[in-house]
Amino acid sequence: MNILTPISTFGRITADLELKTSQNGNNTPYVSFSLAVDKGFGDKEHAIFLQCVLYDEKAERMVKAGVKKGSLIYIVGNLDITEYTRADQSKDHSPKVTLYDWCYAPTSKAKPADNNNESESQDGFLDVPAEAGENGLPFN
């Protein structure tokens, strides 16, 4: 029986991405990366690392979108625990996530000011002119 273990979380990419192609005869594009996920609070805060893989058009979209080391993203996928052998021949386990999808996560960083005619107030909203336009709205 194959049971899915869905996972959705936020994390930061730990290294720049490289789009690769599978060697299984299908030439499937994929990207494999590590995601650092913050866990805990205060003195107990630490990172856990998830090994992630994403295939096909979504992998190409991730690379073309400019995701790189330090990018904060939101992922949705299937969690699996894989066993591996360390250099000292001891066995250990690592979390691996096969992604269904991803997106950039919202951040609270201030965006650089654009040089367009729209002015932004201190609270992050656009200033709206006091006079109404031809439709009775402050914009046309």
Side-chain angles (χ1 to χ4, degrees):
M1 182 153 115
N2 192 6
I3 298 174
L4 296 177
T5 309
I7 182 173
S8 61
T9 189
F10 292 92
R12 292 200 181 273
I13 303 287
T14 63
D16 288 338
L17 302 180
E18 179 183 347
L19 187 65
K20 299 178 181 177
T21 304
S22 68
Q23 301 301 312
N24 63 358
N26 295 336
N27 294 327
T28 304
Y30 73 95
V31 64
S32 180
F33 58 91
S34 182
L35 190 72
V37 177
D38 290 334
K39 187 170 172 74
F41 298 96
D43 295 344
K44 306 268 187 206
E45 186 173 3
H46 64 282
I48 60 170
F49 296 91
L50 303 175
Q51 297 305 311
C52 300
V53 64
L54 180 63
Y55 296 98
D56 297 319
E57 295 83 21
K58 291 180 181 178
E60 292 172 341
R61 180 174 62 92
M62 180 178 258
V63 172
K64 287 179 184 174
V67 175
K68 60 185 179 196
K69 181 178 180 177
S71 294
L72 180 63
I73 64 170
Y74 174 75
I75 63 164
V76 178
N78 183 41
L79 176 66
D80 196 12
I81 304 299
T82 58
E83 184 177 73
Y84 66 95
T85 305
R86 295 180 182 212
D88 66 359
Q89 301 305 312
S90 65
K91 302 278 185 190
D92 204 350
H93 296 85
S94 175
K96 179 182 176 187
V97 180
T98 302
L99 300 185
Y100 303 138
D101 210 353
W102 72 277
C103 66
Y104 275 111
T107 64
S108 60
K109 290 183 182 178
K111 293 183 180 180
D114 292 348
N115 289 336
N116 57 17
N117 294 335
E118 298 174 343
S119 60
E120 193 171 300
S121 66
Q122 295 293 7
D123 59 5
F125 291 98
L126 293 178
D127 288 328
V128 178
E131 63 277 349
E134 63 187 53
N135 299 344
L137 299 173
F139 49 87
N140 289 323

